[in-house]
Amino acid sequence: NKLLKYITYKNKKLSEVDIKTSQPLLMYVILKNIFDDSMNNESTIFLEKKLGVELLGKIKSNGIDFEELDNFGDVILNKDLYNYLVSRVKIKKDSNNEYYYIDRSVKPNKKVYFNSKRDLIKSCMMRALYNGIGPEITSIKKQFKSIFNVADLINKHKKISDSKSNLSHVLQSFEAHVLLDLIAKDISVKYKDIPLFSKHDSLITYKSSIDEVRDFTQKQFKIYTGIDATNSFVVKNDSFS
């Protein structure tokens, strides 16, 4: 990432469109498309194939708390999920006033330190989705019980890939499908004269075109997922400056 500021393309500056809180957002999109019968788009078709009849049946039988799901979506789409959880999860602080959690996935257990409460919660949220353990994760799961019940159900299902976590595989595959297979191709058709690169959960192109690409990405995301995630797509100029 430190080298990005030195990268240009044909002597033109670059910028990126980043998906804010991407993994929780994609989890929300997936659950909304599974449990909302009014949804019928590319996402529902992809999920039926990716999850399979057996696992999809288990998820639907498990059910979801719709009020909780709507709150989860509202926090992700209109607020800041990690700051929301900071005020609801007890966070450890050592004698030097540094925030940490204890990683119990390794032996011996070790302390993992963070510069801010938000950074710690972000890490714990990912661990909560992917089979992590610890008091912070337990607290996060209590905030969205039915959502993490589904996450645990997916992770405990027989392996659907070589990935350590079923849910990790599903989220990454879904993101690649929507962002790269669908939206990136649409961008390349509409904007033939600009380059397009991908980096994790972001798309990179000329800085002069980035706002237009972001607006188009927002529009296409809603078409393919049924979710208006306008606030989730942000331009990050600092990576290349």
Side-chain angles (χ1 to χ4, degrees):
N1 280 357
K2 291 180 180 178
L3 296 176
L4 287 177
K5 62 183 178 181
Y6 300 107
I7 297 175
T8 59
Y9 185 79
K10 293 185 177 179
N11 294 320
K12 290 185 179 181
K13 288 186 176 182
L14 300 174
S15 186
E16 65 180 312
V17 176
D18 182 63
I19 306 179
K20 190 174 66 173
T21 323
S22 63
Q23 300 300 293
L25 168 64
L26 294 169
M27 183 68 181
Y28 170 67
V29 172
I30 287 171
L31 293 176
K32 193 72 174 169
N33 273 275
I34 290 173
F35 288 105
D36 188 336
D37 293 334
S38 68
M39 294 287 200
N40 184 20
N41 52 56
E42 287 284 346
S43 294
T44 52
I45 296 167
F46 176 83
L47 291 169
E48 285 171 4
K49 292 179 181 176
K50 174 57 66 176
L51 296 172
V53 175
E54 183 185 353
L55 179 53
L56 196 55
K58 279 185 180 180
I59 294 169
K60 289 186 175 181
S61 295
N62 179 83
I64 198 81
D65 180 331
F66 285 99
E67 186 177 342
E68 180 186 281
L69 182 60
D70 287 343
N71 180 48
F72 186 61
D74 179 58
V75 172
I76 291 169
L77 297 172
N78 302 308
K79 301 169 188 173
D80 185 302
L81 175 65
Y82 305 129
N83 284 335
Y84 174 88
L85 289 170
V86 160
S87 63
R88 292 164 171 80
V89 174
K90 187 175 180 180
I91 297 172
K92 298 182 184 72
K93 189 163 64 170
D94 69 8
S95 56
N96 294 318
N97 286 326
E98 292 185 294
Y99 303 110
Y100 73 94
Y101 65 66
I102 297 173
D103 185 353
R104 291 172 169 79
S105 67
V106 295
K107 299 292 182 183
N109 296 166
K110 67 174 184 177
K111 291 181 179 180
V112 183
Y113 287 91
F114 296 87
N115 292 325
S116 69
K117 291 181 179 181
R118 188 182 183 280
D119 287 345
L120 183 147
I121 288 295
K122 182 177 180 180
S123 175
C124 287
M125 183 69 188
M126 297 305 103
R127 292 169 61 233
L129 288 170
Y130 306 141
N131 290 325
I133 56 173
E136 299 87 0
I137 289 169
T138 300
S139 294
I140 288 172
K141 287 186 172 185
K142 283 180 179 177
Q143 300 300 318
F144 304 107
K145 289 180 183 177
S146 72
I147 289 167
F148 281 103
N149 281 343
V150 174
D152 290 343
L153 191 155
I154 294 172
N155 282 323
K156 289 174 182 175
H157 188 71
K158 61 188 178 187
K159 290 186 74 65
I160 57 178
S161 76
D162 293 332
S163 175
K164 289 183 179 179
S165 160
N166 277 341
L167 184 56
S168 168
H169 172 71
V170 170
L171 290 174
Q172 289 168 9
S173 299
F174 183 64
E175 180 178 44
H177 178 65
V178 174
L179 201 63
L180 302 181
D181 296 344
L182 299 174
I183 296 176
K185 286 183 179 178
D186 290 346
I187 293 170
S188 66
V189 170
K190 185 175 176 64
Y191 304 98
K192 293 183 172 64
D193 298 326
I194 65 171
L196 190 67
F197 312 101
S198 66
K199 176 176 73 73
H200 303 304
D201 48 14
S202 64
L203 295 173
I204 299 168
T205 189
Y206 290 142
K207 186 175 181 179
S208 58
S209 304
I210 200 69
D211 288 339
E212 198 173 354
V213 168
R214 177 203 57 206
D215 294 346
F216 183 72
T217 300
Q218 292 166 344
K219 176 171 159 283
Q220 297 306 102
F221 187 85
K222 185 176 181 180
I223 290 172
Y224 291 130
T225 67
I227 301 298
D228 183 354
T230 300
N231 297 331
S232 299
F233 291 90
V234 294
V235 171
K236 289 178 66 179
N237 287 317
D238 55 337
S239 300
F240 292 89
S241 58

